[in-house]
Amino acid sequence: MLRVKLSILCVFCGLFIFNACRQDMADQPAYRPLQESDFFADGQASRPLIPGTVARGQLRDDVQLYTGTYTGKREKDTDFITSFPFPIDKAVVKRGQERFNIYCSPCHGQLGNGNGMIVQRGFKKAASFYEERVRNKPLGYYYDVITNGFGAMAGYSAQVNVRDRWAIISYIKALQETQSGAEDPLKVDTMTDFTPGGLVDPTKKVSSSSEVAPKQEHKAEEKKAEEKSEGGQSK
């Protein structure tokens, strides 16, 4: 009798154990991404997004902030905005300096003169932010170049977030206003507040024999031309 009871108990235990080993949870009838399906009319398991769906954090409803343009077009200079899409203060410029030194200075140099370390190692010279062509570009143009790249420069949209791109631009404009021909990078702690037109009452402007400011170069060329003209007339 005891053997019969033990046998029945073993049978029930075995049924319980083997039943628990089923792989229904592991082998669920679920589709993998882009897998074929005969359930839907289009034969695709992955369903298209509902029109108007926006991923969290990807609304981007401010065209000027996210594109640097007025309407999204980026064909000519007049398409780009000429003022910052949010207030710029010393903290923003300081942040821009930090990002600039990390991502931009290897090519453009800490002074923005295009003589960064990789240029000194033999790579193609980067653009100087003191060239008149570059200085006259609208703010949105700078944002577009940082985002999408230009020429040999790749875009930095993956490395630098939107607000940091504008922070970098604010620092570049601060460099242009105060550091033309400077020997040392801008000391943001000595700055006054920043406006879309540049620094209000720049506190420091240094000259250097090693890097001549664009305006000084222009005047020097004019002077040489005048001297050459006078020398020709005297002969």
Side-chain angles (χ1 to χ4, degrees), residues 30-37 42-48:
Y31 289 109
R32 292 182 176 84
L34 305 180
Q35 188 175 351
E36 186 180 5
S37 169
D42 60 2
Q44 299 180 18
S46 299
R47 310 313 304 143

Side-chain angles (χ1 to χ4, degrees), residues 29-204:
Y31 289 109
R32 292 182 176 84
L34 305 180
Q35 188 175 351
E36 186 180 5
S37 169
D38 56 4
F39 182 81
F40 299 102
D42 60 2
Q44 299 180 18
S46 299
R47 310 313 304 143
L49 295 176
I50 298 172
T53 300
V54 178
R56 182 173 296 182
Q58 299 294 318
L59 183 57
R60 299 179 179 265
D61 58 339
D62 189 334
V63 176
Q64 295 189 17
L65 174 65
Y66 288 103
T67 69
T69 66
Y70 291 106
T71 62
K73 293 182 179 180
R74 42 190 288 268
E75 298 172 359
K76 48 190 178 181
D77 285 354
T78 53
D79 292 332
F80 298 105
I81 62 176
T82 57
S83 60
F84 289 96
F86 59 87
I88 303 296
D89 56 20
K90 191 181 296 185
V92 175
V93 181
K94 180 68 174 177
R95 173 71 177 180
Q97 182 184 37
E98 294 171 353
R99 301 297 96 185
F100 180 93
N101 288 339
I102 293 171
Y103 295 108
C104 310
S105 66
C107 295
H108 293 279
Q110 289 194 346
L111 292 175
N113 56 15
N115 193 32
M117 188 55 65
I118 70 165
V119 177
Q120 298 176 37
R121 294 292 186 272
F123 282 80
K124 182 179 179 181
K125 183 176 174 63
S128 168
F129 296 121
Y130 305 113
E131 296 175 15
E132 184 140 358
R133 174 187 64 83
V134 179
R135 288 177 68 103
N136 293 335
K137 290 292 184 180
L139 298 177
Y141 174 84
Y142 288 84
Y143 180 88
D144 183 71
V145 171
I146 295 173
T147 303
N148 302 302
F150 181 83
M153 173 183 164
Y156 279 78
S157 59
Q159 296 93 328
V160 185
N161 66 47
V162 171
R163 295 186 74 87
D164 279 352
R165 290 173 224 169
W166 289 110
I168 289 173
I169 296 167
S170 73
Y171 180 66
I172 291 173
K173 300 309 290 185
L175 282 175
Q176 291 173 337
E177 292 289 336
T178 63
Q179 298 293 105
S180 294
E183 294 179 348
D184 299 312
L186 177 66
K187 303 298 187 297
V188 176
D189 292 338
T190 64
M191 285 175 43
T192 55
D193 287 338
F194 195 75
T195 66
L199 284 171
V200 179
D201 187 22
T203 58
K204 189 178 180 183

